[in-house]
Amino acid sequence: MSLRFDLIWEQAPAFLSGLWNTVWICAIGISLSLILGILLLLPLFSHHKVVRLPTKLLVEAARAIPFLMLAYLVYYGLPSLGLTLDSWSTAILTIVIYNAAYVADILRSAWVNLPKGQTEAARACGFTGVQLLRRIVLPQILIAAAPILGNQAIQVIRDSSFLAIITVPELTFTAKAVQADSFVPFESFITAALLYWVLCLLIEFGVQRLEWVRNFYGKA
Amino acid sequence: MAKLEQPIDAAQPLPVIQVVGLSKCFGSHPVLTDINLAIMPSETVCLLGPSGSGKSTLLRCMNWLERPSSGEVWLHGTQMGYQAGRKRLASEAELAKMRTRIGMVFQQFNLWSHLTVLQNVIEAPIHVQKRPKAEVVAEAEHLLAKVGLHNKLQAYPSQLSGGQKQRVAIARALAMKSDVILLDEPTSSLDPELVGEVLAVIQDLAQAGMTLVIATHEMKFAEEVASRVIFLDQGRIVESSDPKTFFAQPETARARQFLERYIHVGAI
């Protein structure tokens, strides 16, 4: 048995293109979902049940749906409702919906665990509403939740491989195409797996730095 | 129901804070009952009493961090928690604006952990009061020098001792240029050797004529610094007098018993 990594080397541009697609789809999806997750915080903490409960229900529903099912729903289901998206838009929309629900829940949990005195001191100084959230609460809960958000980003990168099924030319899709073309399944998929691992290692490194930041700031 | 005018005595100057018939219940449990008091300008009033007597709750009701169940709190002629001249409850934004006139120092310091010492002090004056940054920073540096922390401007709360944190919290309250500062057991969370540095700063403020209301268990400090002592028990004001009278000849048996216990445990 001889492994033909020389064939994989010949396909390096294709792998790099797939890797790049994975990186930018995940980067845009994670960034947008972070913004949406933050925006969901206000309705999640609203004093009005009519605002809070439906938001909570939506977040819990989005968390309960498997990533692939969500991608199918967006790609194959939405056209039935008159909304057809290409595979790129589907990829980003799926990541945003799926990840925003998790981000909102992670940040909600961090807010619940933020010492009450932090917001009390802010209220005593005249902070209120969005200003209190933006200047006092949000920086602290982002720091506190940073390692968990980092792990969630790793989860998104792993889940993004499902996007191959809806023909997004990302890393897994590229590996499939290379193995079909060159008949080197092990070499193709192990190369893709290693590239996923490198991506996750980079984020893991960032997460470890964030752990340090959290431990430093967390001792007020 | 909210009244529209502060109950004042024409012969007296306007109190900085006046509390009228204030009661507070948590569920069915009464914590404060029919509290009436006036804090005059430049007064240092120490609230004394056993744990659970309602000292902290009274302070928190004064700036409406706790909404009173009944009664009124007046701040320089403005009724806390209500729209000016009307019976309607103030909005959160209106209430926040009122709170900027009352500084508060907490037992647990409550410094914002993501901000440096200097940022903790300038955050509210710049972003809430919308004052010019250069002016606020210069003032903050002056205040931090005054509380002995001129060399800690860029430190984070996690790098400070308890006493230093509390001095930053005091500078933060002072930076708001409030009419009065409420201090809720400012030394209770400190190691005994750090208590002195915080009490010295408070003593300086009192001597400089700042209006202070202090909930404390530091009897010796109260005796030395207070212009008036208010003794609370079970949510009621039991005694209000000058510190010399209170500590030498308390009027009520309950206050005598309280002071005797402190003498007995060597707290005085």
Side-chain angles (χ1 to χ4, degrees):
Chain A
M1 184 182 71
S2 66
L3 294 175
R4 297 292 308 275
F5 278 103
D6 56 315
L7 294 175
I8 298 296
W9 183 248
E10 283 172 17
Q11 298 287 349
F15 271 103
L16 282 179
S17 169
L19 178 67
W20 170 242
N21 286 337
T22 292
V23 168
W24 78 256
I25 288 172
C26 289
I28 291 179
I30 289 168
S31 303
L32 291 177
S33 57
L34 190 61
I35 294 168
L36 183 59
I38 289 168
L39 291 177
L40 283 170
L41 276 178
L42 280 178
L44 274 177
F45 278 91
S46 171
H47 295 299
H48 305 289
K49 272 186 182 176
V50 284
V51 177
R52 190 177 67 244
L53 292 182
T55 315
K56 206 172 165 204
L57 196 70
L58 277 174
V59 167
E60 282 176 6
R63 288 178 62 213
I65 301 172
F67 185 85
L68 181 58
M69 182 62 69
L70 197 57
Y72 278 152
L73 259 177
V74 175
Y75 195 62
Y76 298 115
L78 286 186
S80 307
L81 304 176
L83 182 64
T84 305
L85 297 175
D86 61 24
S87 56
W88 297 100
S89 309
T90 301
I92 290 173
L93 186 62
T94 305
I95 290 177
V96 169
I97 295 172
Y98 180 76
N99 198 41
Y102 277 97
V103 168
D105 198 55
I106 290 166
L107 293 179
R108 185 200 59 77
S109 171
W111 192 348
V112 168
N113 289 308
L114 184 71
K116 201 179 157 201
Q118 293 286 305
T119 48
E120 222 162 49
R123 285 170 61 216
C125 286
F127 283 101
T128 183
V130 176
Q131 202 181 31
L132 189 148
L133 177 70
R134 193 166 72 85
R135 303 212 65 87
I136 305 297
V137 173
L138 204 49
Q140 295 196 63
I141 62 176
L142 282 173
I143 290 169
I148 308 170
L149 290 172
N151 288 332
Q152 180 58 28
I154 290 173
Q155 183 67 39
V156 167
I157 287 173
R158 292 193 337 214
D159 286 341
S160 71
S161 69
F162 284 120
L163 297 172
I165 295 171
I166 55 164
T167 69
V168 177
E170 46 69 71
L171 191 51
T172 302
F173 184 90
T174 306
K176 261 176 76 182
V178 168
Q179 76 85 22
D181 190 44
S182 309
F183 306 107
V184 282
F186 179 78
E187 293 88 332
S188 292
F189 290 127
I190 198 71
T191 302
L194 286 171
L195 288 171
Y196 277 117
W197 188 33
V198 169
L199 270 184
C200 292
L201 275 179
L202 287 174
I203 294 183
E204 190 67 41
F205 175 74
V207 168
Q208 280 171 6
R209 298 284 302 165
L210 292 171
E211 286 274 9
W212 182 87
V213 171
R214 185 178 68 161
N215 291 339
F216 177 79
Y217 286 108
K219 293 180 200 160
Chain B
M1 181 181 287
K3 290 176 189 166
L4 301 182
E5 287 176 14
Q6 180 173 15
I8 52 171
D9 179 347
Q12 292 280 327
L14 199 62
V16 180
I17 289 185
Q18 185 163 17
V19 176
V20 184
L22 185 143
S23 297
K24 174 70 187 173
C25 299
F26 289 116
S28 59
H29 176 62
V31 180
L32 293 171
T33 309
D34 194 26
I35 301 289
N36 292 283
L37 63 89
I39 310 292
M40 304 311 289
S42 298
E43 253 197 321
T44 300
V45 175
C46 281
L47 304 179
L48 304 180
S51 297
S53 57
K55 305 184 293 293
S56 295
T57 307
L58 176 55
L59 289 183
R60 294 164 62 81
C61 283
M62 284 182 186
N63 70 354
W64 266 57
L65 277 180
E66 294 290 351
R67 186 173 159 183
S69 304
S70 62
E72 299 158 17
V73 178
W74 293 84
L75 175 69
H76 265 321
T78 306
Q79 189 174 8
M80 283 292 291
Y82 289 86
Q83 293 179 2
R86 299 172 70 179
K87 292 179 183 178
R88 291 181 61 179
L89 278 173
S91 66
E92 267 301 306
E94 288 164 331
L95 191 55
K97 201 172 173 188
M98 293 176 190
R99 285 200 187 107
T100 61
R101 297 173 59 191
I102 305 177
M104 180 109 186
V105 174
F106 297 87
Q107 184 179 342
Q108 296 295 335
F109 330 124
N110 296 345
L111 296 183
W112 300 308
S113 58
H114 62 298
L115 300 177
T116 63
V117 164
L118 182 65
Q119 287 167 336
N120 260 279
V121 177
I122 65 176
E123 186 74 0
I126 290 176
H127 297 290
V128 176
Q129 295 178 321
K130 310 286 182 199
R131 283 159 49 195
K133 187 175 179 182
E135 173 199 309
V136 172
V137 169
E139 265 178 31
E141 286 173 351
H142 172 71
L143 287 171
L144 286 165
K146 206 165 141 184
V147 298
L149 292 169
H150 56 282
N151 56 348
K152 296 283 183 186
L153 299 184
Q154 301 308 323
Y156 282 89
S158 60
Q159 298 169 307
L160 303 179
S161 70
Q164 289 171 329
K165 285 180 192 174
Q166 196 58 295
R167 284 185 280 152
V168 176
I170 291 170
R172 178 171 71 179
L174 288 171
M176 299 292 289
K177 293 188 171 176
S178 319
D179 302 338
V180 55
I181 296 184
L182 314 176
L183 298 105
D184 185 9
E185 302 194 22
T187 57
S188 295
S189 296
L190 300 177
D191 291 337
E193 68 265 28
L194 299 176
V195 169
E197 63 187 67
V198 173
L199 293 183
V201 168
I202 299 171
Q203 193 156 14
D204 286 347
L205 293 180
Q207 281 166 359
M210 185 79 213
T211 311
L212 304 172
V213 186
I214 311 166
T216 184
H217 289 288
E218 299 285 340
M219 296 300 145
K220 194 169 186 304
F221 170 75
E223 190 173 7
E224 285 172 8
V225 172
S227 43
R228 189 152 52 99
V229 164
I230 291 174
F231 176 69
L232 286 129
D233 187 42
Q234 295 182 345
R236 292 177 186 274
I237 293 180
V238 177
E239 211 165 316
S240 173
S241 59
D242 69 276
K244 276 191 182 141
T245 310
F246 179 77
F247 285 103
Q249 292 174 309
E251 287 171 15
T252 58
R254 182 66 188 95
R256 267 196 301 278
Q257 186 191 22
F258 172 77
L259 289 173
E260 275 165 12
R261 207 188 71 222
Y262 266 91
I263 293 165
H264 180 69
V265 297
I268 292 186

